[in-house]
Amino acid sequence: MMRLGFTRERTSAADPVGQSRSLTPEQIEAEFQKLKTRIHRELIESLDLSKLAAMEEARLRAHVRNLAEALLRAQPNLAAGIDEDRLLEELMAESFGLGPLEPYMQDPDVTDILVNGPREVYVERLGRLQLTNTVFADEEHLMQIIQRVVARVGRRIDEQAPMVDARLPDGSRINAIIPPLALNGPVLSIRRFGIQPLGLQDLVRFGSICPAMIQVLAAAVEGRVNLMISGGAGSGKTTLLNNLSRFVPEDERIVTIEDSAELKLQRRHVVRLETRQANAEGAGEVRPRDLVRNALRMRPDRIILGEVRGAEALDMLQAMNTGHEGSMTTIHANDTLDALSRLEVMVSMAGEEIPVPVVRRYIASALTVVVHLARLKGGVRRVMRISEILGMENGDYQLQELFGFRQQGVDSEGRAKGFFYATGSTPRFLSRLEERGVSLDPKLFTERTLEPGDPNGWNWEEKA
Ligand SMILES: Nc1ncnc2c1ncn2[C@@H]1O[C@H](COP(=O)(O)OP(=O)(O)OP(=O)(O)O)[C@@H](O)[C@H]1O
Ligand SMILES: [Mg+2]
């Protein structure tokens, strides 16, 4: 942290009571906040905004810091115990960063920051969502921060365009939505990706999945079985997709397609594509569908679509059915069947007027494995079900469950508890894996309750 280039006399004539004023930590904090607000206002008043726009960032920062120091020095009666370095840092955060949210942006444990209007800030730490006591001065203050973030990444937000999705330079994803669409003031949601993403080790440690299930999914990925991960918002779909993609053999060419690039594949041969929203004039939009089609002309071995949301479903299934086996995607859904019926709706959005039974057959032949995730009580995420799609029977999907999670109440901390099990069904895709030289011990599927060490002898950490 930068030290201040000056010291001050706290008990000088300016503050004759000086040491006799010993404040409680709460009082010091209140003083601190009051002082910060005051200096920040003075700072804004004394900045010549017309000149600032032309200044480059480094000079601008230095200029604002000097000014803030001078204003701090000019404050009469600074209470003892005020941390001047912290004050300056926070003033800089107010002026350049995300203001009161900046400390959370620096905290590696924080994965989500959710701002519901100026007086309500939630953060998620290690899977638990908590209300914080952070507040913005008022709606105006929150709007300023949102405007700044959005402007930095070359977007804008106003009454004409009251919603924005964007990615910050550190990789975090943000969404802002403001009045009149948001009824309780501006809402800002930040999903942080600058931090180290969760690995399989973490998922096992959190009890989100078992080694036996990982081994089966790893073999499915390696052996080019088409796979879809379903689950609710924030249930860990992208995290699991990211981790499973490591099992794609190193010599394959992968093209990833996302709305905002979140996937971090530890692979050499990856081409990353990102969609684009229309500009203010409504031009220049590039939809996921356009990118999937384009990707097919890039000689990919596999396509990884971050999330299927619309018409691109048809193109993705086509890719899976025609030589790009082992492609993967995620879908927002409440359970496995819901995922499949949503996919049907998305296919119909492609506007090709395909009859429903045909769509279903198409889905059933393209997709083989569906992994369903859920976010349960207390913030824990679990793989709820791993299912194999066997085909169609009398117009319905024929599904076989391979693994599942059975919930048994909650623990003393309010977290859902329970156990994973293997159903005893052996997947039909085993023979396909064998053809591709990937072997999987059929004993993995023996009906049983899965223990944390199950299976013995398979070192998934080495593979992951
Ligand atoms: N198994 C897990 N246990 C605890 N936290 C997790 C787990 N998996 C993911 N998370 C955390 O939950 C948040 C959401 O994860 P992720 O982006 O993978 O979910 P998602 O289902 O893809 O969300 P979205 O619906 O927004 O696309 C992230 O902050 C991530 O670090
Ligand atoms: Mg996701």
Side-chain angles (χ1 to χ4, degrees):
M1 169 170 298
M2 199 191 125
R3 302 288 327 166
L4 277 182
F6 63 93
T7 51
R8 60 184 302 128
E9 293 283 324
R10 288 177 196 267
T11 52
S12 63
D15 181 16
V17 266
Q19 279 155 331
S20 62
R21 261 212 315 168
S22 57
L23 303 178
T24 66
E26 290 74 31
Q27 286 171 320
I28 293 176
E29 185 59 29
E31 281 285 314
F32 182 93
Q33 294 298 344
K34 266 204 313 230
L35 186 64
K36 188 174 86 178
T37 312
R38 188 163 69 229
I39 299 183
H40 191 231
R41 198 172 309 123
E42 291 174 5
L43 191 60
I44 289 170
E45 281 164 8
S46 48
L47 286 172
D48 185 344
L49 292 171
S50 60
K51 282 205 192 117
L52 296 184
M55 236 186 246
E56 73 173 78
E57 168 125 4
R59 269 192 59 210
L60 187 60
R61 278 181 177 270
H63 178 66
V64 170
R65 186 178 277 273
N66 285 339
L67 201 56
E69 276 185 23
L71 288 168
L72 178 58
R73 213 172 307 157
Q75 297 300 316
N77 298 339
L78 205 60
I82 294 276
D83 182 340
E84 297 180 0
D85 283 336
R86 181 185 147 206
L87 189 75
L88 266 188
E89 288 307 319
E90 292 196 8
L91 281 168
M92 291 299 284
E94 289 292 342
S95 312
F96 289 95
L98 289 175
L101 304 181
E102 200 55 37
Y104 302 123
M105 292 300 285
Q106 309 298 335
D107 182 343
D109 286 340
V110 170
T111 49
D112 289 84
I113 305 171
L114 308 169
V115 183
N116 307 338
R119 323 238 27 111
E120 224 175 87
V121 177
Y122 287 88
V123 301
E124 176 154 329
R125 266 200 191 87
L126 309 172
R128 296 209 95 158
L129 197 60
Q130 305 153 324
L131 180 63
T132 66
N133 47 25
T134 298
V135 291
F136 289 79
D138 48 27
E139 204 168 301
E140 180 73 32
H141 183 201
L142 174 54
M143 264 315 282
Q144 271 171 14
I145 300 275
I146 292 178
Q147 297 279 14
R148 181 183 317 136
V149 175
V150 170
R152 277 280 151 85
V153 292
R155 304 288 259 280
R156 54 171 213 169
I157 185 163
D158 54 27
E159 254 182 54
Q160 296 301 315
M163 291 189 274
V164 161
D165 253 323
R167 192 155 44 89
L168 299 182
D170 76 347
S172 300
R173 183 178 85 182
I174 67 155
N175 172 274
I177 180 163
I178 62 171
L181 301 189
L183 302 181
N184 302 330
V187 177
L188 179 66
S189 314
I190 306 180
R191 166 72 50 78
R192 300 203 47 227
F193 286 104
I195 50 162
Q196 191 66 21
L198 297 173
L200 284 173
Q201 288 84 344
D202 301 308
L203 301 193
V204 170
R205 190 159 42 89
F206 296 160
S208 299
I209 192 168
C210 270
M213 297 152 95
I214 296 178
Q215 188 176 2
V216 171
L217 293 176
V221 170
E222 189 185 345
R224 314 197 67 162
V225 166
N226 292 326
L227 185 147
M228 183 165 80
I229 299 169
S230 67
S235 56
K237 302 182 290 295
T238 305
T239 304
L240 185 62
L241 180 63
N242 210 7
N243 279 298
L244 291 183
S245 61
R246 294 206 191 120
F247 298 105
V248 173
E250 193 68 68
D251 57 355
E252 292 188 24
R253 174 169 163 87
I254 305 176
V255 178
T256 66
I257 296 168
E258 296 173 89
D259 284 328
S260 55
E262 298 171 31
L263 291 172
K264 290 204 170 88
L265 308 194
Q266 266 103 32
R267 274 278 158 280
R268 228 169 332 131
H269 203 155
V270 180
V271 177
R272 303 169 77 211
L273 304 178
E274 198 179 68
T275 57
R276 190 170 68 187
Q277 293 181 347
N279 65 14
E281 288 75 43
E285 181 183 10
V286 179
R287 301 163 306 163
R289 174 153 217 205
D290 306 318
L291 292 182
V292 174
R293 288 177 172 181
N294 193 78
L296 289 171
R297 295 182 214 119
M298 298 167 72
R299 210 219 132 255
D301 288 304
R302 314 188 185 215
I303 294 178
I304 298 186
L305 175 63
E307 182 175 339
V308 57
R309 292 178 211 264
E312 70 278 7
L314 180 60
D315 307 84
M316 182 71 191
L317 292 169
Q318 238 148 22
M320 289 175 161
N321 263 329
T322 57
H324 303 93
E325 287 89 1
S327 290
M328 295 184 260
T329 189
T330 74
I331 190 169
H332 190 115
N334 300 326
D335 62 47
T336 312
L337 277 177
D338 181 44
L340 297 176
S341 71
R342 282 179 192 233
L343 202 55
E344 290 171 18
V345 173
M346 291 175 192
V347 169
S348 72
M349 287 157 81
E352 310 254 332
E353 314 254 326
I354 313 169
V356 172
V358 179
V359 172
R360 291 197 173 165
R361 238 177 296 132
Y362 204 63
I363 291 175
S365 74
L367 275 178
T368 304
V369 170
V370 182
V371 183
H372 182 71
L373 309 181
R375 192 190 151 113
L376 304 177
K377 258 198 147 53
V380 286
R381 277 79 163 178
R382 305 266 192 228
V383 171
M384 298 303 287
R385 209 177 290 284
I386 299 180
S387 318
E388 179 181 22
I389 303 180
L390 300 174
M392 298 297 298
E393 208 174 49
N394 305 324
D396 286 326
Y397 295 102
Q398 214 190 333
L399 294 177
Q400 130 163 310
E401 189 178 336
L402 304 174
F403 295 101
F405 177 76
R406 183 147 312 128
Q407 190 180 335
Q408 296 175 308
V410 291
D411 67 14
S412 57
E413 287 175 28
R415 294 173 190 252
K417 57 176 191 172
F419 60 90
F420 292 105
Y421 58 88
T423 59
S425 307
T426 312
R428 282 201 206 149
F429 64 73
L430 278 194
S431 57
R432 214 176 326 151
L433 292 186
E434 242 152 65
E435 283 164 25
R436 292 180 172 148
V438 180
S439 61
L440 205 51
D441 186 352
K443 283 207 209 78
L444 277 170
F445 302 98
T446 311
E447 185 178 351
R448 69 194 185 286
T449 299
L450 299 177
E451 304 296 337
D454 185 351
N456 286 324
W458 187 67
N459 192 348
W460 55 273
E461 290 187 65
E462 208 168 74
K463 288 218 153 206

